[in-house]
Amino acid sequence: QVQLVESGGGLVQPGGSLRLSCAASGSIFRVNDMGWYRQAAGKQRELVALITNSGTTTYADSVKGRFTISRDNAKNTVWLEMNSLKPEDTAVYYCNADVYTAITWSYNFWGQGTQVTVSS
């Protein structure tokens, strides 16, 4: 079994910063792409940021210049640094990863979600 455990969510004021963490554990051969998604109340889930195994990053237009995704392949961990937070960033943030449990078997896994609330 593979688990993605998230941490770092909370309540922050507009303009504040928050750092989310997600660690993969279990029967892992290799962790490939890792990313962060979010789902605000009443809205569809959307991609926030993605990072490949080689370090190439992709960001949603709404967070470019404010959020930074990074990873440590040795620790199977991905982070999301969120700066200049806005109320519209309020959502449940989910970690996602493509995990090889064997050399030819890849599966997609989700973290449990962590609430980020940006409010005065």
Side-chain angles (χ1 to χ4, degrees):
Q1 295 183 344
V2 174
Q3 292 186 350
L4 303 182
V5 180
E6 303 178 32
S7 63
L11 173 65
V12 296
Q13 297 184 25
S17 299
L18 209 58
R19 182 173 182 263
L20 306 182
S21 177
C22 175
S25 63
S27 301
I28 299 173
F29 177 77
R30 188 179 78 234
V31 179
N32 211 37
D33 294 352
M34 303 185 79
W36 290 94
Y37 292 73
R38 68 186 181 188
Q39 187 166 18
K43 296 184 178 180
Q44 296 182 345
R45 185 188 304 167
E46 65 175 347
L47 174 67
V48 177
L50 180 71
I51 185 167
T52 69
N53 193 271
S54 62
T56 301
T57 59
T58 301
Y59 296 94
D61 289 340
S62 60
V63 306
K64 287 181 179 177
R66 299 189 298 120
F67 291 9
T68 301
I69 188 171
S70 60
R71 67 187 292 168
D72 186 332
N73 291 338
K75 297 181 179 180
N76 294 324
T77 299
V78 63
W79 296 271
L80 184 68
E81 291 280 354
M82 303 183 293
N83 300 311
S84 301
L85 284 163
K86 305 174 181 179
E88 49 263 45
D89 294 318
T90 296
V92 177
Y93 284 70
Y94 296 93
C95 176
N96 180 269
D98 291 322
V99 179
Y100 279 87
T101 58
I103 192 168
T104 58
W105 300 107
S106 179
Y107 300 93
N108 187 260
F109 295 91
W110 291 93
Q112 81 278 12
T114 184
Q115 177 71 50
V116 172
T117 302
V118 185
S119 179
S120 299

